[in-house]
Amino acid sequence: MVYITGDTHGDLSFFKNPKLKKLTDDDTLIICGDFGFLWDGSDKEKKALDYLTKRKYTICFVDGAHENFDMLNQYSPYRYKGGNAQKIASNIFRLMRGEIFTFERKTFFVMGGGESEDAEMRKEGKSWWKDEMPSAEELLNGAQNLKDAEDKVNYVLTYEAPAIAKDFIRLHTKQDVKLTPLNTYLEELMKSVDYTHWYFGSLHIDLNISRKMTAVFNEIIPIK
């Protein structure tokens, strides 16, 4: 079975959740951004990655805004489940932007990346990277792959949210959220693509936006 969750930010305690202990080698956990276990290359981080490689299940992640893209870019593209990915370890994969993957006969369109709201407080190449935002090429790749799929997928997985979802959260939670061109791009996708459900992880909240859209953070949601 496929399970969806939100940002993990390199927090190993998340993976000690009793729910995950029940997963088997037939299961896949997909993280909607800010995986965070490739950040500084420290011994602590390497031990954490070693712990993750010993999990029975497969771990996939859509990149968020807070990733070390210099480290990620060292991994070569790897064809996986019908789309382009990067193989981080035997059971850990980054799902590349704009690609469509097939898990258990269901299709998943993914688009990672987002804009750090605190970018001015971060240092380029140390805690912030220009690659956090999808390039025009990656956005066009996503649009073309959707066109090839006749604008129909089972699920959409992103780090950022469509603009309308951010507006909903701003109204219902009083959070101060910022709209970016990527939110507008995703809004256009929402209008043109036929999908069953959309999950995104950037806003650190577990909330059903509508019957077809969910903000996910700590929850571990099974895809049935």
Side-chain angles (χ1 to χ4, degrees):
M1 184 176 285
V2 176
Y3 297 83
I4 307 297
T5 193
D7 299 10
T8 51
H9 287 285
D11 182 4
L12 196 60
S13 66
F14 172 84
F15 290 89
K16 297 178 182 180
N17 186 315
K19 291 182 180 179
L20 294 179
K21 292 181 180 179
K22 299 177 182 179
L23 272 56
T24 72
D25 54 8
D26 292 325
D27 297 318
T28 300
L29 176 70
I30 304 180
I31 299 161
C32 290
D34 287 350
F35 177 57
F37 287 91
L38 292 165
W39 184 255
D40 58 13
S42 64
D43 288 341
K44 181 181 178 181
E45 185 173 272
K46 291 174 183 176
K47 288 179 181 178
L49 276 171
D50 184 61
Y51 175 88
L52 296 183
T53 62
K54 291 181 171 64
R55 300 312 92 197
K56 292 180 181 179
Y57 50 91
T58 298
I59 299 168
C60 296
F61 67 94
V62 177
D63 59 274
H66 304 133
E67 314 278 6
N68 184 330
F69 290 97
D70 287 342
M71 293 183 72
L72 285 177
N73 291 339
Q74 293 176 14
Y75 293 88
S76 300
Y78 180 88
R79 199 68 180 168
Y80 177 68
K81 301 288 184 179
N84 289 321
Q86 289 170 309
K87 187 174 183 179
I88 308 302
S90 59
N91 67 326
I92 303 174
F93 300 86
R94 175 197 179 189
L95 306 180
M96 302 295 284
R97 298 169 177 175
E99 295 292 308
I100 297 176
F101 301 87
T102 301
F103 295 91
E104 300 186 4
R105 293 177 290 184
K106 297 180 179 69
T107 52
F108 295 75
F109 171 80
V110 308
M111 180 59 74
E115 185 176 69
S116 297
E117 294 186 359
D118 60 349
E120 69 282 355
M121 300 173 63
R122 293 171 176 267
K123 185 175 181 181
E124 185 171 354
K126 294 292 184 180
S127 57
W128 179 84
W129 288 263
K130 292 179 180 178
D131 289 351
E132 68 175 16
M133 284 291 280
S135 65
E137 182 180 9
E138 288 168 331
L139 297 177
L140 288 171
N141 175 59
Q144 185 60 55
N145 283 333
L146 286 169
K147 182 179 179 181
D148 292 343
E150 299 180 345
D151 287 321
K152 184 175 182 179
V153 291
N154 295 115
Y155 296 96
V156 177
L157 306 179
T158 59
Y159 172 68
E160 269 291 357
I164 193 171
K166 278 198 163 181
D167 284 338
F168 177 91
I169 289 173
R170 178 163 48 195
L171 287 172
H172 287 77
T173 69
K174 307 302 181 184
Q175 284 193 35
D176 184 20
V177 296
K178 178 183 176 182
L179 293 179
T180 71
L182 179 57
N183 301 127
T184 304
Y185 169 89
L186 295 174
E187 177 82 6
E188 292 305 309
L189 279 190
M190 191 184 76
K191 295 175 182 177
S192 60
V193 175
D194 180 8
Y195 62 91
T196 302
H197 208 92
W198 186 319
Y199 297 93
F200 64 89
S202 64
L203 296 179
H204 293 184
I205 189 172
D206 290 293
L207 182 68
N208 288 323
I209 307 298
S210 70
R211 64 181 179 84
K212 295 186 66 174
M213 186 170 292
T214 300
V216 61
F217 182 35
N218 291 313
E219 292 294 321
I220 299 170
I221 302 171
I223 300 298
K224 299 178 181 179

